[in-house]
């Protein structure tokens, strides 16, 4: 590599946001109307990346586990669910208002606590907008979005958009366990849309009002919960490491008793070193038998599990590894982002140029290979390149690019993390071979077109 990897400064977030927009990863929602705070759309590459991340989660935690099953519950549920779960009473953040400019914030972001200073506040207790220190008393603000079932907008028809996916795994506990004849320990897993009317937003997609949660409710014998907690915590951490996140950018945060959610006996967050500070990436909670016991009480249905070995009924305890997919996607982008001053190759003309290399794990890279005819004004080359493209499309996400110099096209692919670039050149026309350029080493090797699919497959699985 010619250039030097630049040490990343505080403007890293700006660079990531710009790359995401420019290269079709993430856009502000409704951008033509000026965007909406804390809502983002995923563009073509962002959507592929997100699907690949979900795919990895599904593979590791559902397909490869004999005792974890997947469900797909509704976003809207019976309003009683939220009473029973405690969300109506407890799912709130302390809200304070600046008496001078009337901007509102989460009190714990301004007045101390774990995330002190994570928002835009420059000095403790000062309003980030006007600098005043004159605040209202904190009041609890419920984060659930309200809506109505049917055309009548009154209290009896009011319900909420789910703020977590967990609840449908509890309300379906009996149906899933009996229909699938599962024995504890077993897990129910789900990935789905969740909604939170967050007070303080910002930091791009870190805290949004609509996002996907991937979580597992793992039902265990009471008394075995602490053992299973540790098993899941380790598994959970390894998942992030296997996705290529650097070990030094991850750490555990053990919640003190006073910051535990109303349902939790123990929660450990896995934090990532975001450019704006260490912050929660994912978590593991011991939800005890709280949810099943509450739903039994509120629904009048007996949700206890019958243990045929012990010949007794009990509420299993629940270990819950949870994760926001978009938050993980952001951490992955940050972790993979590199700038190379002076360019990566000798052929770079403008040596002062900074080139971007997005070094995602190749298994989750949105595009696996780019097909590039050396020049676009030679119809034989273009025809051959189109044939190669067509032969690979059924197997991989492949992109075709013929615009600009070959060096420029390699750089375009480096920016979006494409692990392999396949070039069709004049030798191809003679002997039916192409070059494969490796994103990370920039080494090239010649491969026969007939072996290309097998070769790419091999390389991706190395
Ligand atoms: N069922 C447990 C639960 O929902 P949580 O810590 O409130 O736990 C789960 O949320 C995960 O969802 C978090 O670890 C985080 O990754 C993600 N998350 C939470 N709030 C978010 C938001 N406003 N925007 C994006 N991701 C969020």
């Amino acid at each position: 590599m010619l250039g030097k990897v630049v040490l990343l400064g505080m403007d890293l977030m700006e660079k990531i946001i710009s790359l995401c927009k420019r290269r079709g990863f993430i856009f502000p929602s409704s951008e033509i109307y000026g965007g909406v705070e804390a809502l983002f759309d995923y563009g073509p590459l962002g959507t592929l990346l997100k699907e690949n991340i979900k795919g990895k989660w599904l593979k590791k935690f559902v397909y490869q586990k004999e005792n974890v099953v997947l469900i797909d519950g509704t976003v809207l549920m019976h309003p009683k669910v939220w009473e029973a779960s405690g969300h109506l009473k407890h799912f709130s953040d302390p809200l304070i208002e600046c008496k001078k400019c009337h901007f509102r914030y989460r009190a714990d972001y301004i007045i101390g606590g774990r995330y002190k200073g994570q928002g835009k506040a420059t000095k403790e207790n000062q309003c980030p907008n006007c600098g005043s220190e004159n605040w209202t008393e904190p009041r609890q603000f419920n984060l659930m979005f309200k809506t109505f079932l049917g055309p009548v907008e009154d209290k009896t028809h009011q319900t909420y958009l789910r703020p977590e996916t967990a609840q449908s795994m509890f309300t379906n506990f009996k149906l899933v366990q009996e229909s699938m004849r599962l024995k504890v320990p077993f897990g129910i897993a789900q990935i789905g849309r969740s909604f939170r009317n967050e007070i303080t937003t910002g930091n791009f997609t870190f805290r949004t009002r609509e996002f996907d949660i991937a979580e597992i409710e793992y039902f265990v014998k009471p008394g075995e919960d602490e053992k299973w907690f540790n098993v899941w915590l380790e598994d959970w951490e390894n998942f992030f490491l296997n996705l290529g996140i650097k070990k030094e950018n991850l750490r555990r945060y053990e919640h003190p008793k006073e910051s535990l959610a109303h349902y939790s006996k123990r929660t450990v967050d896995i934090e990532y070193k975001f450019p704006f500070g260490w912050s929660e990436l994912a978590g593991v909670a011991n939800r005890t038998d709280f949810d099943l016991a509450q739903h039994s009480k509120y629904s009048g249905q007996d949700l206890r599990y019958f243990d045929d070995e012990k010949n007794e009924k009990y509420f299993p305890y629940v270990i819950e590894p949870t994760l926001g997919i978009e938050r993980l996607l952001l951490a992955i982008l940050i972790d993979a982002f590199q700038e190379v001053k002076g360019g990566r190759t000798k052929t770079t003309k403008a040596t002062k140029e900074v080139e971007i290399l997005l070094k995602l794990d190749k298994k989750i890279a949105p595009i696996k290979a780019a097909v590039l005819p050396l020049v676009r004004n030679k119809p034989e080359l273009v025809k051959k390149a189109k044939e190669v493209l067509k032969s690979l499309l059924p197997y991989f996400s492949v992109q075709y690019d013929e615009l600009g110099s070959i060096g420029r096209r390699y750089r375009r692919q480096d920016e979006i993390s494409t692990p392999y670039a396949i070039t069709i050149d004049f030798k191809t026309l003679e002997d039916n071979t192409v070059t494969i350029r490796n994103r990370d080493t920039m080494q090239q090797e010649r491969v026969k077109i007939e072996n290309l699919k097998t070769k790419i497959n091999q390389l991706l699985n190395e």
Side-chain angles (χ1 to χ4, degrees):
M1 195 181 283
L2 228 208
K4 231 172 84 183
V5 175
V6 182
L7 281 179
L8 301 162
M10 282 309 287
D11 57 352
L12 172 60
M13 285 303 285
E14 295 303 321
K15 290 174 181 168
I16 302 254
I17 294 168
S18 156
L19 177 74
C20 282
K21 192 169 173 193
R22 195 161 47 80
R23 298 308 311 271
F25 282 90
I26 305 173
F27 311 126
S29 169
S30 325
E31 216 234 351
I32 56 168
Y33 292 101
V36 192
E37 200 190 340
L39 293 178
F40 293 91
D41 292 336
Y42 283 69
L45 297 189
T47 307
L48 285 177
L49 178 56
K50 202 162 149 182
E51 286 306 308
N52 292 344
I53 293 172
K54 287 184 192 172
K56 280 281 207 176
W57 182 88
L58 283 170
K59 193 168 172 194
K60 179 165 169 71
F61 296 115
V62 182
Y63 306 148
Q64 290 182 353
K65 300 248 183 219
E66 58 174 328
N67 62 346
V68 178
V69 293
L70 188 67
I71 67 162
D72 183 15
T74 54
V75 165
L76 299 172
M77 297 180 75
H78 197 290
K80 275 233 153 162
V81 167
W82 307 110
E83 238 179 276
S85 69
H87 280 78
L88 264 182
K89 195 164 163 205
H90 300 289
F91 195 63
S92 50
D93 281 334
L95 174 85
I96 51 169
E97 186 176 322
C98 169
K99 284 188 178 166
K100 191 168 165 212
C101 70
H102 302 289
F103 270 50
R104 291 169 181 188
Y105 300 93
R106 250 178 84 164
D108 53 340
Y109 283 12
I110 301 290
I111 300 177
R114 181 178 165 207
Y115 292 113
K116 185 175 74 177
Q118 192 203 63
K120 282 172 262 162
T122 44
K123 283 198 184 152
E124 198 172 339
N125 298 352
Q126 277 195 356
C127 172
N129 185 50
C130 73
S132 160
E133 291 182 27
N134 202 359
W135 298 101
T136 59
E137 280 303 306
R139 71 175 170 88
Q140 290 302 317
F141 173 77
N142 196 292
L143 301 184
M144 286 197 293
F145 280 101
K146 293 187 187 73
T147 189
F148 300 92
L149 290 165
V152 184
E153 296 193 358
D154 65 12
K155 239 344 201 194
T156 53
H157 295 87
Q158 185 180 297
T159 189
Y160 305 88
L161 305 189
R162 69 177 173 194
E164 62 169 9
T165 57
Q167 293 307 318
S168 49
M169 298 189 262
F170 299 127
T171 55
N172 284 307
F173 169 73
K174 259 278 149 91
L175 290 170
V176 172
Q177 187 260 319
E178 288 178 359
S179 62
M180 303 303 285
R181 290 183 288 145
L182 295 163
K183 290 189 174 204
V184 294
F186 73 90
I188 307 181
Q190 181 168 200
I191 302 184
R193 220 69 185 138
S194 306
F195 300 82
R196 296 182 188 182
N197 200 2
E198 298 283 0
I199 302 169
T200 302
T201 56
N203 291 328
F204 195 33
T205 54
F206 176 79
R207 182 168 282 102
T208 54
R209 296 197 166 114
E210 181 180 338
F211 53 99
D212 281 331
I213 290 185
E215 57 193 355
I216 299 153
E217 307 306 325
Y218 198 72
F219 300 94
V220 304
K221 276 186 194 149
E224 293 188 359
D225 48 315
E226 284 169 24
K227 174 189 92 184
W228 281 111
F229 188 99
N230 293 326
V231 170
W232 274 103
L233 184 56
E234 203 133 300
D235 241 23
W236 210 209
E237 222 165 33
N238 284 334
F239 174 62
F240 302 112
L241 293 172
N242 290 338
L243 283 173
I245 293 191
K246 296 178 196 89
K247 202 171 179 174
E248 65 268 25
N249 290 337
L250 289 177
R251 73 175 188 192
R252 292 179 183 183
Y253 174 81
E254 177 91 39
H255 276 259
K257 285 259 169 306
E258 59 276 13
S259 81
L260 288 174
H262 60 276
Y263 50 72
S264 176
K265 174 177 159 189
R266 182 184 176 199
T267 298
V268 174
D269 286 348
I270 294 172
E271 293 192 327
Y272 179 76
K273 196 177 181 184
F274 287 95
F276 43 86
W278 285 98
S279 302
E280 177 187 348
L281 171 64
V284 180
N286 182 343
R287 292 183 80 127
T288 68
D289 59 1
F290 175 84
D291 301 271
L292 289 178
Q294 284 289 100
H295 285 303
S296 279
K297 190 169 137 197
Y298 277 75
S299 68
Q301 307 271 330
D302 185 359
L303 296 181
R304 283 175 303 167
Y305 168 79
F306 178 66
D307 188 327
D308 50 12
E309 281 162 29
K310 285 184 163 177
N311 203 21
E312 66 175 24
K313 278 182 164 185
Y314 58 82
F315 287 118
Y317 266 42
V318 175
I319 306 302
E320 178 194 66
T322 186
L323 157 74
I325 295 286
E326 290 85 349
R327 199 175 277 188
L328 172 58
L329 191 149
L330 177 61
I332 283 174
L333 285 177
I334 292 167
D335 222 70
F337 187 91
Q338 291 186 2
E339 281 184 321
V340 184
K341 223 178 190 167
R344 299 184 70 203
T345 58
K346 290 189 188 88
T347 53
T348 307
K349 283 194 192 106
T351 47
K352 285 193 197 87
E353 230 176 283
V354 169
E355 289 178 7
I356 293 173
L357 170 64
L358 193 63
K359 230 171 155 183
L360 296 173
D361 181 295
K362 53 193 173 187
K363 291 224 178 63
I364 56 168
I367 305 292
K368 300 293 187 252
V371 175
L372 318 169
L374 187 64
V375 288
R376 67 170 169 150
N377 56 1
K378 290 277 177 248
E380 320 87 272
L381 285 186
V382 169
K383 184 166 172 267
K384 199 76 188 166
K386 290 271 168 79
E387 278 170 27
V388 170
L389 173 75
K390 213 169 155 199
S391 72
L392 296 177
L393 275 173
Y395 310 102
F396 312 104
S397 53
V398 188
Q399 206 176 63
Y400 176 84
D401 188 5
E402 59 176 29
L403 278 184
S405 73
I406 194 75
R408 189 171 286 274
R409 280 180 277 161
Y410 285 152
R411 291 207 291 280
R412 275 209 288 268
Q413 294 302 328
D414 288 348
E415 269 195 345
I416 61 167
S417 200
T418 309
Y420 302 106
I422 299 159
T423 303
I424 286 80
D425 56 19
F426 292 103
K427 200 161 184 300
T428 311
L429 301 177
E430 289 164 19
D431 63 4
N432 248 358
T433 61
V434 292
T435 61
I436 302 182
R437 172 197 183 259
N438 180 309
R439 174 195 73 192
D440 301 336
T441 62
M442 292 188 293
Q443 299 288 317
Q444 302 197 9
E445 63 175 307
R446 280 204 95 83
V447 177
K448 277 196 170 309
I449 290 180
E450 65 199 70
N451 300 332
L452 199 50
K453 179 196 143 198
T454 313
K455 180 71 188 176
I456 301 272
N457 226 339
Q458 253 171 21
L459 289 170
L460 288 171
N461 287 300
E462 256 173 12

